[in-house]
């Protein structure tokens, strides 16, 4: 088809860059609804803080504060990622803190030995305390995400992610996990952990569901205080004594209420905010948590990082929290009117320390300094923020601790993966597994049996550990990176051999002599944050190889145990049907042996350990049940909150419905958003074009297309998608793009389904370097003859000549303005 020449049906939405705070694929949050984003602190409960203000500490802070210049004070408000700053910078800039984000490490080496971390901290520390002008010396502190163990450090004990811990219902063990994690962190000298996450996740499509203990506030509340005490020590006891580090409770508030969307908007009432999402803080803060991290997300359209009624009104004034609020990763830049390099509004709302990554921290410093001097940031607010930071440093012993390498636990690298810590983790693995089905007594495995261990997750410590494991996404790691870890396969092998049987590993399930029983370990590949957001809860919609493996075993008459690794409950009805036993093992971490402790019986054939895990998230019966809540009318899960079988309680499950609704959620419209392709889509190039990935807002979230001559790049759907409703609804194809090399030929945007149609877009591609948006009404394609009911290639960019273009988003959305096709 050929669209009439006049049909340059595109619109440059505006020359302005697309605002980063608009969640891709969603309408701008601040346009919707009358729901208020102002909290009423007087309606919030008062908390009984166990740590009282200490006059000696306050006096010490006062003395320092009086002797500090405004330059010194502003410096304390900045925390900068080690990827963006060097120790030498601290000779001039006395900043409050550094951090390592999920992907930053000493010498840019994610696998740097622990000694390198300690060495680097010494260098930062030395520079931070070097000062000859007589003004107060305030040592730098280092924050890290020790969210399931000291997970950035090779050799550390990795505990189950929070969702697994939630299933244990064991606050005492949580405390010991916190202690062990703090000790391993302290071994590297690092003195601050961004944990625990106390999100009360209400929509399991969210990529951070696994960082949540439970969908029920009570479970989260029972853990948060215990974890803080484990990390920091107990007020009145070992509080901030050697082996403890500063904790940061995150992400404040309602990070788990954003409708399954990372950094999204929690559209909930104030009572829901208070009674559901605040649960963790009601125990973490009384336990003495020294820092709180405001959330990236919004409440009724207002970014939490800029919400004064929440940060100042509730957290500080109502609750009396006297530690400090550290921002999330450049989150301040998402507050309206702010950039990453300039955001007085966040400080004025109650943020005390910016978390910054990027090359512009000197600008952030300079802008904040100017605003502190000209009164944009009132002196009282500046002093309050600095006072809080100094108070935390005094309480944490930062001024006495000395060089990181001189601290009591520093350099004791045998704490990493210490046998006592691994034993705690292994107990947590045992207690976190939830038995969902056990038919015909296939479990426990007889130790004398011939056991086949199969599946992609069987011998993969990275996969069983999930995101935030050595790397941010938990990808790119191999078993060799876990010198102290054990895969699930190794654990089973050990247990079966100890029992006199024989175990064989075959990831693809092939065998020469028929086994007595098979264990198939499979599940989600690691992810973190937005890359884990999913449109539905269907497990692996586009790749059913695991299901086929289970079915193959069944067809061969081999009793089969499914061990499911996942960061959330998922729709696995077909997989449950295909297995005789089904175990939800979550993301157990480095101690795979804990799985065998429960699965494999002792020599006497009796279980060595029974299952104890109880679901902390409801398990869906259908793939669209992502917001199950037992208080809702019509609550109809497959397995309810609290469910979990044991050897004592039998476990057959009637055959489950395997029907998969044709429309699997509305998110097929997010064709390519934040680095992720819609379900069932892939990118295919033809002709003289190369396809790569680049970072726009996050790692590798954008495509880079380099045409050296005629060619095309298409988004190809495995299964045709139905866009007829969208076309009727006057939606458009919205492309976020940036031209890096102007076109030398003609460029079109096309769509195919039955027939193909194209729209010329060359005119929109003049001028390089700026992110822009192109809007093409779907009607252009429908009118051009595309069968909108069966679209196989929703987007095809074709060029007849050279062109450099980067694409960060492709989605079907309502266009921001009146657009007609061909009428221009
Ligand atoms: C995450 C936080 C984390 C921070 C530092 C952010 O993107 O939301 O949970 O603490 O990065 O890595
Ligand atoms: C960092 C993470 C951070 C994320 C934010 C990554 O580059 O390593 O720590 O949470 O960016 O999007």
């Amino acid at each position: 088809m050929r669209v009439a020449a006049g049909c340059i049906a595109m619109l440059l939405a505006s020359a302005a860059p697309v605002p980063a705070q608009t969640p891709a694929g969603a309408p701008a949050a601040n346009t919707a609804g009358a729901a208020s984003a102002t909290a009423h602190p007087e309606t919030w409960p008062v908390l009984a803080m166990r740590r009282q203000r200490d006059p000696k500490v306050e006096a010490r802070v006062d003395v320092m504060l009086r002797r500090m210049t405004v330059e010194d004070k502003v410096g304390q408000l900045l925390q900068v990622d080690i990827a963006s700053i060097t120790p030498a910078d601290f000779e001039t800039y006395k900043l409050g803190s550094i951090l390592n984000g999920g992907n930053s490490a000493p010498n840019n080496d994610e696998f740097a030995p622990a000694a390198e971390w300690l060495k680097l901290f010494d260098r930062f520390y030395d520079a931070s305390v070097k000062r000859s002008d007589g003004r107060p010396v305030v040592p730098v502190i280092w924050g890290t995400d020790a969210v399931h163990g000291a997970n950035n450090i090779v050799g550390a004990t990795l505990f189950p992610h929070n969702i697994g811990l939630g299933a244990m219902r064991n606050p005492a063990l949580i405390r010991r996990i916190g202690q062990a994690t703090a000790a391993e962190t302290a071994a590297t000298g690092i003195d601050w952990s961004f944990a625990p996450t106390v999100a009360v996740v209400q929509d399991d499509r969210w990529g951070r569901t696994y960082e949540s203990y439970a969908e029920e506030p009570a479970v989260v509340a029972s853990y948060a205080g215990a974890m803080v005490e484990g990390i920091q020590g107990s007020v009145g006891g070992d509080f901030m004594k050697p082996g403890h580090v500063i904790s940061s409770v995150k992400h404040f508030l309602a990070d788990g209420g954003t409708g399954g969307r990372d950094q999204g908007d929690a559209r909930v009432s104030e009572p829901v905010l208070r009674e559901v999402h605040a649960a963790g803080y009601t125990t973490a803060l009384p336990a003495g948590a020294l820092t709180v991290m405001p959330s990236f997300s919004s409440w009724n359209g207002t970014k939490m990082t800029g919400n004064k009624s929440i940060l100042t009104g509730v957290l500080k004034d109502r609750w009396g929290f006297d530690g400090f609020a550290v921002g999330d990763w450049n989150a301040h830049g998402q507050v309206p009117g702010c950039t990453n390099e300039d955001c007085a509004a966040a400080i004025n709302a109650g943020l005390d320390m910016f978390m910054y990554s990027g090359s512009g921290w000197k600008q952030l410093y300079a802008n904040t300094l100017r605003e502190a001097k000209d009164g944009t940031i009132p002196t009282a607010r500046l002093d309050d923020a600095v006072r809080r930071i100094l108070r935390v440093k005094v309480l944490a012993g930062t001024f006495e601790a000395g060089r990181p390498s001189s601290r009591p636990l520093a350099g004791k690298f045998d704490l990493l993966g210490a046998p006592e810590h691994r034993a705690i983790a292994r107990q947590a693995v045992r207690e976190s597994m939830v038995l969902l089905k056990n038919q015909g007594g296939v479990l426990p495995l007889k130790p004398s049996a011939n056991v086949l261990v199969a599946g992609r997750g069987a011998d993969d410590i990275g996969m069983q550990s999930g995101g935030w494991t050595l790397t941010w996404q938990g990808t790119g790691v191999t078993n060799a990176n876990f010198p102290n870890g054990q895969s699930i396969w190794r654990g089973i092998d050990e247990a079966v051999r100890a029992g006199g049987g024989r175990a064989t590993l075959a990831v693809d399930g092939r065998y020469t002599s028929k086994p007595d029983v098979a264990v198939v370990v499979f599940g989600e590949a690691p992810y973190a944050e937005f890359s884990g957001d999913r449109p539905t809860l269907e497990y692996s919609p586009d790749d059913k190889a695991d299901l086929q493996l289970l079915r193959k075993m069944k067809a061969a008459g081999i009793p089969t145990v499914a061990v499911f690794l996942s960061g959330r409950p998922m729709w696995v009805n077909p997989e449950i049907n295909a297995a005789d036993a089904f175990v939800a093992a979550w993301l157990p971490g480095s101690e795979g042996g804990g799985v065998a402790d429960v699965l494999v019986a002792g020599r006497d054939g009796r279980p060595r350990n029974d299952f104890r895990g109880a679901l902390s998230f409801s398990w869906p019966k259908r793939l669209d049940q992502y917001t199950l809540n037992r208080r809702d009318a019509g609550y109809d899960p497959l397995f309810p909150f609290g469910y979990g079988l044991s050897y004592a309680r039998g476990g057959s499950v009637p055959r489950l419905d395997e029907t998969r609704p044709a429309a699997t959620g509305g998110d097929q419209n997010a064709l390519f958003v934040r680095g992720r392709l819609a379900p069932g889509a892939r990118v295919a190039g033809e002709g003289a074009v190369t396809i790569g990935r680049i970072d726009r807002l996050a790692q590798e979230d954008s495509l880079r297309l380099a045409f050296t001559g005629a060619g095309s790049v298409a988004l190809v759907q495995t299964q045709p998608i139905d866009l007829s409703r969208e076309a009727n609804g006057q939606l458009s194809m919205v492309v976020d793009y940036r031209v890096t090399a102007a076109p030398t030929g003609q460029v079109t945007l096309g769509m195919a389904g039955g027939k193909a149609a194209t729209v010329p877009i060359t005119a929109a591609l003049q001028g390089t370097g700026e992110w822009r948006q192109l809007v093409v009404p779907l009607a252009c394609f429908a009118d051009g003859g595309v069968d909108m009911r069966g679209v196989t290639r929703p987007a095809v960019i074709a060029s007849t000549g050279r062109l450099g273009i980067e694409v960060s988003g492709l989605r079907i959305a309502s266009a921001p303005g009146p657009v007609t096709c061909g009428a221009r």
Side-chain angles (χ1 to χ4, degrees), residues 34 85 192 211 231 305 313 347 379 409 598 701:
I85 197 164
W192 179 8
E211 297 186 60
I231 296 171
T305 306
I347 300 293
T379 304
L409 272 63
V598 183
D701 63 349

Side-chain angles (χ1 to χ4, degrees), residues 435-445 515-520 522 547 549-563 572-583 611 639 643 645 647 649-656:
L435 180 62
L436 298 179
K437 176 179 181 178
N438 188 15
Q439 210 147 286
V442 55
L443 283 176
L445 303 174
D516 301 322
V517 60
V519 179
V520 178
F522 66 102
L547 177 59
L549 181 55
L550 289 168
R551 286 183 176 156
K552 199 176 107 187
M553 295 298 153
K554 194 169 194 78
I558 303 166
T560 299
V561 178
V563 174
V572 280
N573 286 9
E575 287 82 0
I576 294 176
N577 284 339
D580 299 282
F582 197 98
V583 177
F611 282 91
F639 303 115
Y643 185 87
L645 300 168
Y647 289 131
R649 277 169 285 149
S652 61
V653 172
R655 192 170 172 82
L656 304 173

Side-chain angles (χ1 to χ4, degrees), residues 99 101-102 145 194 208 250-251 293 296 328-329 355 468 529:
L99 84 146
D145 293 289
F194 303 130
R208 305 190 80 162
K250 69 187 189 186
H251 309 84
M293 186 185 292
F296 264 127
D328 202 341
W329 181 273
M355 181 190 287
W468 299 105
E529 302 190 40

Side-chain angles (χ1 to χ4, degrees), residues 286-627:
L290 290 171
T291 69
V292 166
M293 186 185 292
S295 184
F296 264 127
S297 56
S298 303
W299 176 40
N300 292 331
T302 298
K303 283 282 167 185
M304 284 294 181
T305 306
N307 193 325
K308 187 169 183 180
S309 71
I310 296 284
L311 300 185
T312 302
V314 172
L315 177 64
K316 294 176 176 178
D317 294 346
R318 181 65 173 177
W319 283 345
F321 169 69
D322 69 356
F324 69 86
V326 58
D328 202 341
W329 181 273
N330 289 338
H332 57 273
Q334 299 187 19
V335 173
C338 290
T339 66
N340 290 354
E341 286 72 36
D342 189 2
C343 192
I347 300 293
N348 288 342
L351 187 77
D352 301 302
M353 186 183 272
F354 296 113
M355 181 190 287
Y356 181 87
S357 167
S359 56
W361 60 266
K362 287 183 188 164
Q363 284 155 261
L364 177 61
Y365 175 80
N367 288 326
T368 311
L369 181 60
R370 176 176 41 75
E371 288 151 351
K373 285 183 171 168
D374 72 14
T376 309
I377 298 172
T379 304
R381 176 73 272 267
L382 176 69
D383 283 354
D384 173 59
V386 178
R387 182 185 304 279
R388 289 166 178 276
I389 294 166
L390 295 178
R391 179 184 293 132
V392 167
K393 289 185 175 184
V394 171
L395 290 170
T398 307
F399 292 93
E400 290 74 37
R403 280 190 108 199
S405 61
S406 74
R407 299 175 186 176
L409 272 63
K412 298 200 166 143
F413 299 131
D414 50 2
L415 284 169
L416 296 164
E420 320 79 80
H421 297 169
R422 294 187 61 186
I424 296 170
R426 188 160 171 157
Q427 181 184 347
V429 175
R430 284 197 292 273
E431 296 190 14
S432 63
M433 281 186 289
V434 182
L435 180 62
L436 298 179
K437 176 179 181 178
N438 188 15
Q439 210 147 286
V442 55
L443 283 176
L445 303 174
K446 320 282 166 291
S448 55
N450 174 7
V451 183
L452 178 70
V453 181
R456 294 186 254 206
D459 191 27
D460 188 337
I461 303 175
M463 182 164 160
Q464 74 198 31
S465 300
W468 299 105
T469 296
L470 299 178
T471 65
W472 176 36
Q473 294 291 323
T475 49
V477 296
T478 69
N479 285 356
N481 300 127
F482 302 93
N484 299 321
Q486 191 181 39
S487 71
I488 292 172
W489 144 251
R490 290 268 168 226
I492 294 176
D493 183 42
E494 226 170 67
V496 170
R497 270 192 289 130
R502 183 159 60 90
T504 315
L505 173 70
V507 170
D508 61 7
R510 252 176 262 176
Y511 51 85
T512 39
S513 70
K514 187 173 163 185
D516 301 322
V517 60
V519 179
V520 178
V521 188
F522 66 102
E524 291 190 291
Y527 52 78
E529 302 190 40
F530 67 85
S531 23
D533 287 2
R534 296 287 176 267
T536 77
L537 292 183
E538 178 174 9
Y539 170 64
S540 194
D542 307 311
D543 174 359
K544 298 294 179 191
D546 301 313
L547 177 59
Q548 278 148 21
L549 181 55
L550 289 168
R551 286 183 176 156
K552 199 176 107 187
M553 295 298 153
K554 194 169 194 78
I558 303 166
T560 299
V561 178
V563 174
F564 185 51
L565 301 172
S566 71
R568 55 191 137 206
M570 303 201 88
W571 185 74
V572 280
N573 286 9
E575 287 82 0
I576 294 176
N577 284 339
D580 299 282
F582 197 98
V583 177
W586 314 110
L587 299 169
S590 62
E591 301 317 309
V595 174
D597 288 346
V598 183
L599 259 50
V600 184
R603 269 182 177 274
D604 59 3
R606 293 224 300 269
R608 294 179 297 150
N609 300 277
D610 205 345
F611 282 91
R612 298 190 35 172
L615 291 179
S616 64
F617 281 83
S618 307
W619 200 281
K621 185 180 274 181
R622 300 192 319 266
L623 52 77
D624 59 355
Q625 286 179 313
Y626 21 79
T627 58

